[in-house]
């Protein structure tokens, strides 16, 4: 990581759902233009971590800062910070009654106040980037799952985010559609987008991550470069996890 202040800084974050302690003293810094891939077994807290970063889940203790700004708890200050954080979910969350183009246009015009002609030009450029400019007039139901997820990525990028969060973006997709989404994400990483990616796709982690973070039972157990993590994981828990995912 460079000497610049981090794009994302979590310090001693704890989160409970009732009696369930889902994040335990989590500290993580993500540098500008860094790609951090978070892996671990189901129920280890990965998705909750993602959702706390943009305020979808509140934390019980600790601090979260984005681009040096502490994450506000609610209201307009939270909305302002959240506008700088793009999020792509497992389910595509597109508005089914709107065209692909209008899905991408909505947030820049409503939240940023961008004039429609300018927003439309950016939206078409982004749809071109994800390979879907020819689908601009379609409704989401007319697209495959992989295409819908690529629209969701374009929609997030339309806000010119400082940070992109991906929460299991390919887990709802058929196998043949996974690579078309991962290819778009790999291009984003190559272009210098700061990214936190929760995924089970180990090939993507190897290819695109600057750092792999392994979580288990709400804690960050280890973090290292992809080469080191996949060939020489330090902890027994991480080695057992890798054995289970690599054997399929």
């Amino acid at each position: 990581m460079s000497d610049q202040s981090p794009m994302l800084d979590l310090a001693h974050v704890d989160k409970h759902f009732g009696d369930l302690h889902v994040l335990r003293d989590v500290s993580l810094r993500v540098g500008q233009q860094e790609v951090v891939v978070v892996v671990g077994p189901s129920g280890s807290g990965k998705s909750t971590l993602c959702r706390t970063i943009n305020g979808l889940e509140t934390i019980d203790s600790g601090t979260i800062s984005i681009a040096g700004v502490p994450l506000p708890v609610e209201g307009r200050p939270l909305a302002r910070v959240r506008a700088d954080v793009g999020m792509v979910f497992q389910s595509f969350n597109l508005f089914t009654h709107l065209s692909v183009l209008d899905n991408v246009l909505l947030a820049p015009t409503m939240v940023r106040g961008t004039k429609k002609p300018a927003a439309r030009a950016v939206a078409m450029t982004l749809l071109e980037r994800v390979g879907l400019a020819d689908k601009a007039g379609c409704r989401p139901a007319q697209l495959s799952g992989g295409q819908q997820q690529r629209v969701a990525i374009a929609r997030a990028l339309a806000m010119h985010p400082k940070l992109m969060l991906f929460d299991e973006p390919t887990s709802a997709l058929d196998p043949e559609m996974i690579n078309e989404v991962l290819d778009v994400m790999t291009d984003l990483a190559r272009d210098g987008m700061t990214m936190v990616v929760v995924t089970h796709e180990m090939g993507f982690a190897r290819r695109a991550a600057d750092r792999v973070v392994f979580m288990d039972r709400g804690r960050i157990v280890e973090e290292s470069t992809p080469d080191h993590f996949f060939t020489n994981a330090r902890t027994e828990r991480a080695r057992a996890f890798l054995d289970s995912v690599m054997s399929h």
Side-chain angles (χ1 to χ4, degrees), residues 51-211:
R51 292 171 68 84
T52 60
I53 292 170
N54 76 339
L56 287 172
E57 300 285 357
T58 55
I59 59 176
D60 299 329
S61 58
T63 60
I64 299 175
S65 296
I66 294 166
V69 178
L71 190 65
V73 176
E74 59 189 6
R76 282 193 171 160
L78 174 61
R80 273 197 295 274
V81 176
R82 196 185 272 163
D84 288 332
V85 181
M87 184 144 183
V88 178
F89 299 87
Q90 183 173 335
S91 53
F92 322 122
N93 292 2
L94 298 174
F95 291 106
T96 55
H97 64 292
L98 295 178
S99 69
V100 163
L101 178 61
D102 285 339
N103 264 281
V104 180
L105 279 175
L106 192 64
T109 51
M110 300 288 285
V111 179
R112 294 267 193 233
T114 309
K115 294 283 186 281
K116 207 154 188 187
R120 182 184 293 269
V122 170
M124 287 306 299
T125 300
L126 290 171
L127 288 172
E128 184 85 46
R129 182 174 183 175
V130 300
L132 292 171
D134 60 326
K135 303 291 187 187
C138 295
R139 295 282 172 92
Q142 297 171 276
L143 306 184
S144 70
Q147 289 171 330
Q148 289 186 59
Q149 194 60 296
R150 285 186 281 151
V151 173
I153 293 172
R155 178 181 60 181
L157 291 173
M159 291 290 283
H160 303 293
K162 296 175 180 174
L163 169 67
M164 283 283 283
L165 306 175
F166 294 86
D167 184 12
E168 299 280 11
T170 58
S171 62
L173 299 178
D174 293 334
E176 67 271 18
M177 294 174 190
I178 289 173
N179 281 340
E180 65 189 61
V181 173
L182 294 178
D183 286 347
V184 170
M185 293 167 61
T186 303
D187 285 345
L188 278 181
R190 206 177 285 128
D191 290 346
M193 174 60 75
T194 308
M195 294 162 59
V196 176
V197 183
V198 172
T199 186
H200 286 101
E201 298 296 330
M202 297 300 140
F204 173 81
R206 273 196 146 127
R207 184 170 71 242
D210 295 304
R211 199 159 28 118

Side-chain angles (χ1 to χ4, degrees), residues 8-13 26-29 49 52-53 63-65:
L8 173 66
D9 192 355
L10 288 87
H12 307 294
V13 168
V26 171
S27 293
L28 176 67
R29 302 181 93 191
L49 175 71
T52 60
I53 292 170
T63 60
I64 299 175
S65 296

